[in-house]
Amino acid sequence: MSDYKTAVADIKAGMKINYQGASGPMDFNQYHNVTGAWDVVRSNGDAAGDIETVRTIAAAQIQQAILSGAG
């Protein structure tokens, strides 16, 4: 399945679908959350609006922070 119309029909028919978001898979865990890696970025200040990735935080680290209540 690769289109909205088919997905809606499948959902209405009770079928399970596997949504692939624009940034990649969007799979829910047992807590009904979706976590993925986060990029910490900063602008370099140019007119083009270019950004630089400063750090990438792994999905496992984000999930652990959620579970521990860190904020």
Side-chain angles (χ1 to χ4, degrees), residues 29 31 33 35-36 38 55 57-71:
N29 64 15
Y31 305 107
N33 290 323
T35 55
W38 291 7
R55 179 177 177 202
I57 304 170
Q61 291 173 291
I62 295 166
Q63 183 65 31
Q64 184 58 40
I66 291 169
L67 294 175
S68 69

Side-chain angles (χ1 to χ4, degrees), residues 8-69:
V8 170
D10 287 350
I11 291 170
K12 287 182 177 180
M15 295 178 66
K16 201 170 183 183
I17 65 168
N18 185 12
Y19 175 69
Q20 300 296 315
S23 62
M26 305 296 278
D27 297 324
F28 290 92
N29 64 15
Q30 70 269 32
Y31 305 107
H32 308 289
N33 290 323
V34 176
T35 55
W38 291 7
D39 285 338
V40 178
V41 298
R42 70 173 160 220
S43 171
N44 66 11
D46 68 8
D50 294 330
I51 58 173
E52 169 190 4
T53 300
V54 177
R55 179 177 177 202
T56 298
I57 304 170
Q61 291 173 291
I62 295 166
Q63 183 65 31
Q64 184 58 40
I66 291 169
L67 294 175
S68 69

